[in-house]
Amino acid sequence: MKRDAFWRVERQRFLSQPAIHPIPISMNRCPNISSLLRKARHFIGLATTATATATAAATLSTSTPSKSAASAMDDLKTLKTRLCIIGSGPAAHTAAIYAARAELKPILFEGWMANDIAPGGQLTTTSDVENFPGFPEGILGMELTDRFRAQSARFGTEIFTETVTKVDFSSSPFQVFTDAKTVLADAVIVSTGAVAKRLNFPGSGEGPNGFWNRGISACAVCDGAAPIFRNRPLVVIGGGDSAMEEANFLTKYGSRVYIIHRRDSFRASKIMQSRALSNPKIEVVWNSVVMEAYGDGERGVLGGLKVKNVVSGEVSDLKVSGLFFAIGHEPATKFLDGQLELDSDGYVVTKPGTTQTSVRGVFAAGDVQDKKYRQAVTAAGTGCMAALDAEHYLQEIGSQQGKSD
Ligand code: FAD
Ligand code: NDP
């Protein structure tokens, strides 16, 4: 069996194991499976460099487990390109598909467990994606990301499984650094995504004693419709717009939705607050924090929470089947080291209606510049915009095929 096919079968086997995934919920059943598989694939030497092939498969190039000194030296090299794309989610790959079809020969750094997320991005941590057009039956997040990657590779994107550690946007060509390479690029697209923040208390994590993905999630829009939440009491933690929006959204499925907030007032906009507060299915638990999550015994999923009132100190029991964190996201922008303008939450600022950042020739797409919509299809949409913006920019500065490479 070909190695690539072998891993696909292994992944499928993991995902369908009842011992690991006891319930058929429509959320990330085991977020680290994809990560582990990609990691394992890396360790046996398959994932060092993925070069574009003419085939549709996202086949990773093969190298031997112990590299020769010569090939190790070869990795420490400088490459030139017209366009470098950083990231590997729907934004990065859509940008790559457009750019590669425009014959820009993009180089894409997909990251190596950057921010603990496998190449492919946030969708690798979920199971069924049911709202991406073109898949009426839904599609596994991992399979969708494999397809994105295959399509990028098919048109000639050169993909490296390396994390960008540093950039220098002070002069053109821009410099993009990984531990093994320096890329000189006439234009850059930053599409490194964002990670939903989570709280850490007993029972909140993964593994046998935790209920992450067995009732606990950080994305109501993605997971709220799962059968385990239907007609059951649910909780949202947070007091911002996301918490209001998610609580309202969850009232479509849950019997009751509690918003647990650590203070006595929301920071959410007035309109979002009043929508939530006037919803008869929503109840606010003010001045409170979750101390612990416990199971329901029979089903091995979330059964309830120990909740502490931070004013009185009283600890009470709240029986719920779902808990959704809505305490903000963290965009992956640290490696930019202040070279692009960021907003107060750390998101890349783009000129409205475009993907242009504060540095001419550097573009941003996907969740790294979007704190409102944060969906695969919107990330893909801005990825397309970034490629078109980059193409126009390259034409303007007279960057031509062959000039830089
Ligand atoms: P991401 O998907 O965040 O990918 C960014 C990638 O860049 C990551 O792989 C990261 O490791 C890599 N990276 C970061 N820093 C670097 C670096 N320095 N160098 C190289 N690489 C780097 N949306 C939907 O539309 N439908 C759904 O059903 C859905 N379900 C979801 C379920 C879960 C559990 C989660 C967490 C999200 C879900 N979303 C869903 C949201 C969707 O996944 C995101 O909106 C989308 O993936 C954002 O895409 P992106 O391209 O901006 O970046
Ligand atoms: P915010 O940062 O606005 O809110 C996060 C909330 O989580 C705050 O209420 C905060 O509490 C709470 N929180 C943070 N850390 C903890 C913790 N450790 N324990 C308990 N609670 C915690 O994030 P959002 O995702 O809600 O919003 C991000 C941005 O996106 C905002 O600008 C928002 O306006 C925008 N947005 C807009 C939407 C819309 O217009 N439809 C929808 C969603 C988001 P505290 O208040 O005490 O700090």
Side-chain angles (χ1 to χ4, degrees), residues 34-65:
S34 55
S35 317
L36 288 171
L37 287 168
R38 291 202 192 221
K39 205 171 220 169
R41 186 161 57 171
H42 179 83
F43 282 133
I44 64 166
L46 291 173
T48 322
T49 301
T51 308
T53 66
T55 67
T59 312
L60 293 170
S61 69
T62 308
S63 63
T64 53

Short mmCIF file of all heavy atoms in Angstrom, two decimals, residues 34-65:
data_model
loop_
_atom_site.label_atom_id
_atom_site.label_comp_id
_atom_site.label_asym_id
_atom_site.label_seq_id
_atom_site.Cartn_x
_atom_site.Cartn_y
_atom_site.Cartn_z
N SER A 34 -5.43 14.01 14.16
CA SER A 34 -4.80 14.49 12.94
C SER A 34 -3.39 14.97 13.23
O SER A 34 -2.45 14.69 12.48
CB SER A 34 -5.62 15.61 12.33
OG SER A 34 -5.81 16.62 13.29
N SER A 35 -3.25 15.65 14.37
CA SER A 35 -1.94 16.15 14.73
C SER A 35 -0.98 14.98 14.91
O SER A 35 0.14 15.00 14.41
CB SER A 35 -2.01 16.91 16.05
OG SER A 35 -3.12 17.74 16.08
N LEU A 36 -1.43 13.97 15.64
CA LEU A 36 -0.56 12.83 15.91
C LEU A 36 -0.15 12.13 14.63
O LEU A 36 1.00 11.75 14.44
CB LEU A 36 -1.27 11.81 16.83
CG LEU A 36 -1.42 12.28 18.29
CD1 LEU A 36 -2.31 11.32 19.04
CD2 LEU A 36 -0.04 12.36 18.94
N LEU A 37 -1.14 11.98 13.74
CA LEU A 37 -0.83 11.28 12.50
C LEU A 37 0.15 12.07 11.66
O LEU A 37 1.10 11.53 11.11
CB LEU A 37 -2.11 11.03 11.72
CG LEU A 37 -2.98 9.93 12.34
CD1 LEU A 37 -4.35 9.92 11.71
CD2 LEU A 37 -2.32 8.58 12.20
N ARG A 38 -0.07 13.38 11.62
CA ARG A 38 0.87 14.19 10.82
C ARG A 38 2.24 14.16 11.48
O ARG A 38 3.26 14.15 10.81
CB ARG A 38 0.35 15.61 10.68
CG ARG A 38 -0.87 15.64 9.79
CD ARG A 38 -1.10 16.98 9.18
NE ARG A 38 -2.42 16.98 8.59
CZ ARG A 38 -2.69 17.52 7.43
NH1 ARG A 38 -1.77 18.10 6.74
NH2 ARG A 38 -3.91 17.47 6.95
N LYS A 39 2.24 14.18 12.82
CA LYS A 39 3.50 14.14 13.54
C LYS A 39 4.22 12.82 13.24
O LYS A 39 5.40 12.80 12.91
CB LYS A 39 3.21 14.23 15.04
CG LYS A 39 4.35 14.77 15.84
CD LYS A 39 3.86 15.01 17.25
CE LYS A 39 4.41 16.28 17.80
NZ LYS A 39 3.81 16.72 19.03
N ALA A 40 3.48 11.72 13.34
CA ALA A 40 4.07 10.42 13.08
C ALA A 40 4.61 10.36 11.66
O ALA A 40 5.71 9.87 11.41
CB ALA A 40 3.02 9.33 13.29
N ARG A 41 3.84 10.90 10.74
CA ARG A 41 4.25 10.91 9.34
C ARG A 41 5.57 11.68 9.20
O ARG A 41 6.46 11.29 8.49
CB ARG A 41 3.14 11.55 8.50
CG ARG A 41 3.40 11.47 7.04
CD ARG A 41 2.13 11.69 6.27
NE ARG A 41 1.46 12.94 6.56
CZ ARG A 41 0.44 13.39 5.87
NH1 ARG A 41 -0.05 12.68 4.87
NH2 ARG A 41 -0.13 14.52 6.16
N HIS A 42 5.65 12.76 9.98
CA HIS A 42 6.87 13.57 9.95
C HIS A 42 8.05 12.76 10.45
O HIS A 42 9.12 12.73 9.86
CB HIS A 42 6.68 14.80 10.83
CG HIS A 42 7.88 15.69 10.88
ND1 HIS A 42 8.12 16.63 9.92
CD2 HIS A 42 8.88 15.78 11.77
CE1 HIS A 42 9.23 17.27 10.21
NE2 HIS A 42 9.71 16.78 11.34
N PHE A 43 7.82 12.05 11.59
CA PHE A 43 8.94 11.35 12.19
C PHE A 43 9.47 10.22 11.34
O PHE A 43 10.62 9.85 11.46
CB PHE A 43 8.56 10.85 13.59
CG PHE A 43 8.60 11.95 14.60
CD1 PHE A 43 7.56 12.13 15.50
CD2 PHE A 43 9.65 12.85 14.62
CE1 PHE A 43 7.59 13.17 16.41
CE2 PHE A 43 9.69 13.88 15.53
CZ PHE A 43 8.65 14.04 16.43
N ILE A 44 8.63 9.63 10.50
CA ILE A 44 9.19 8.60 9.65
C ILE A 44 9.73 9.21 8.36
O ILE A 44 10.09 8.52 7.43
CB ILE A 44 8.23 7.44 9.35
CG1 ILE A 44 7.04 7.93 8.55
CG2 ILE A 44 7.84 6.72 10.59
CD1 ILE A 44 6.24 6.79 7.93
N GLY A 45 9.82 10.52 8.36
CA GLY A 45 10.58 11.16 7.29
C GLY A 45 9.79 11.46 6.05
O GLY A 45 10.36 11.66 4.99
N LEU A 46 8.47 11.50 6.16
CA LEU A 46 7.68 11.71 4.95
C LEU A 46 7.28 13.16 4.75
O LEU A 46 6.87 13.54 3.68
CB LEU A 46 6.40 10.88 5.01
CG LEU A 46 6.61 9.40 4.90
CD1 LEU A 46 5.29 8.70 5.14
CD2 LEU A 46 7.17 9.03 3.55
N ALA A 47 7.40 13.96 5.80
CA ALA A 47 6.77 15.28 5.70
C ALA A 47 7.75 16.45 5.74
O ALA A 47 7.41 17.52 6.15
CB ALA A 47 5.76 15.43 6.83
N THR A 48 8.95 16.23 5.30
CA THR A 48 9.90 17.33 5.37
C THR A 48 9.56 18.40 4.35
O THR A 48 9.47 19.58 4.66
CB THR A 48 11.32 16.81 5.10
OG1 THR A 48 11.46 15.56 5.70
CG2 THR A 48 12.35 17.77 5.66
N THR A 49 9.35 17.99 3.14
CA THR A 49 9.06 18.94 2.08
C THR A 49 7.99 18.37 1.19
O THR A 49 8.06 17.23 0.80
CB THR A 49 10.31 19.17 1.22
OG1 THR A 49 11.34 19.64 2.06
CG2 THR A 49 10.05 20.19 0.14
N ALA A 50 7.02 19.17 0.90
CA ALA A 50 6.01 18.71 -0.04
C ALA A 50 6.11 19.58 -1.28
O ALA A 50 5.87 20.77 -1.24
CB ALA A 50 4.64 18.82 0.57
N THR A 51 6.50 19.02 -2.37
CA THR A 51 6.67 19.80 -3.58
C THR A 51 5.49 19.54 -4.49
O THR A 51 4.92 18.47 -4.51
CB THR A 51 7.98 19.36 -4.27
OG1 THR A 51 9.02 19.43 -3.31
CG2 THR A 51 8.33 20.27 -5.43
N ALA A 52 5.16 20.54 -5.24
CA ALA A 52 4.02 20.41 -6.13
C ALA A 52 4.22 19.27 -7.11
O ALA A 52 5.30 19.05 -7.60
CB ALA A 52 3.86 21.70 -6.91
N THR A 53 3.16 18.57 -7.35
CA THR A 53 3.20 17.55 -8.36
C THR A 53 2.05 17.80 -9.30
O THR A 53 1.15 18.56 -9.00
CB THR A 53 3.02 16.14 -7.76
OG1 THR A 53 1.71 16.08 -7.25
CG2 THR A 53 4.04 15.87 -6.68
N ALA A 54 2.12 17.15 -10.44
CA ALA A 54 1.05 17.36 -11.40
C ALA A 54 -0.17 16.53 -11.05
O ALA A 54 -1.21 16.67 -11.66
CB ALA A 54 1.54 16.99 -12.79
N THR A 55 -0.03 15.69 -10.08
CA THR A 55 -1.17 14.86 -9.71
C THR A 55 -2.08 15.59 -8.76
O THR A 55 -1.67 16.53 -8.08
CB THR A 55 -0.71 13.56 -9.01
OG1 THR A 55 -0.15 13.94 -7.77
CG2 THR A 55 0.31 12.82 -9.84
N ALA A 56 -3.30 15.15 -8.68
CA ALA A 56 -4.26 15.81 -7.80
C ALA A 56 -4.04 15.43 -6.35
O ALA A 56 -4.52 16.10 -5.47
CB ALA A 56 -5.67 15.47 -8.21
N ALA A 57 -3.34 14.36 -6.10
CA ALA A 57 -3.17 13.93 -4.72
C ALA A 57 -2.23 14.85 -3.97
O ALA A 57 -1.25 15.33 -4.52
CB ALA A 57 -2.61 12.52 -4.69
N ALA A 58 -2.52 15.05 -2.67
CA ALA A 58 -1.63 15.89 -1.86
C ALA A 58 -0.49 15.03 -1.35
O ALA A 58 -0.28 14.86 -0.18
CB ALA A 58 -2.41 16.46 -0.68
N THR A 59 0.25 14.47 -2.27
CA THR A 59 1.28 13.51 -1.90
C THR A 59 2.49 14.22 -1.34
O THR A 59 3.01 15.13 -1.94
CB THR A 59 1.69 12.72 -3.16
OG1 THR A 59 0.51 12.28 -3.80
CG2 THR A 59 2.55 11.54 -2.79
N LEU A 60 2.93 13.79 -0.17
CA LEU A 60 4.11 14.41 0.41
C LEU A 60 5.35 13.76 -0.18
O LEU A 60 5.41 12.56 -0.38
CB LEU A 60 4.09 14.20 1.93
CG LEU A 60 2.97 14.93 2.63
CD1 LEU A 60 2.90 14.48 4.08
CD2 LEU A 60 3.18 16.41 2.56
N SER A 61 6.37 14.58 -0.42
CA SER A 61 7.58 14.03 -0.99
C SER A 61 8.30 13.17 0.03
O SER A 61 8.22 13.39 1.23
CB SER A 61 8.49 15.15 -1.47
OG SER A 61 8.97 15.84 -0.36
N THR A 62 8.97 12.16 -0.44
CA THR A 62 9.58 11.19 0.43
C THR A 62 11.05 11.52 0.64
O THR A 62 11.75 11.83 -0.29
CB THR A 62 9.47 9.79 -0.20
OG1 THR A 62 8.11 9.60 -0.52
CG2 THR A 62 9.95 8.71 0.73
N SER A 63 11.49 11.48 1.88
CA SER A 63 12.92 11.57 2.14
C SER A 63 13.27 10.49 3.14
O SER A 63 12.41 9.95 3.81
CB SER A 63 13.28 12.95 2.67
OG SER A 63 12.64 13.14 3.91
N THR A 64 14.52 10.17 3.24
CA THR A 64 14.92 9.10 4.14
C THR A 64 14.87 9.60 5.57
O THR A 64 15.01 10.79 5.83
CB THR A 64 16.36 8.65 3.82
OG1 THR A 64 17.16 9.82 3.84
CG2 THR A 64 16.42 7.96 2.50
N PRO A 65 14.65 8.67 6.56
CA PRO A 65 14.51 9.11 7.94
C PRO A 65 15.73 9.88 8.43
O PRO A 65 15.61 10.88 9.10
CB PRO A 65 14.32 7.80 8.70
CG PRO A 65 13.85 6.82 7.68
CD PRO A 65 14.45 7.24 6.40
#
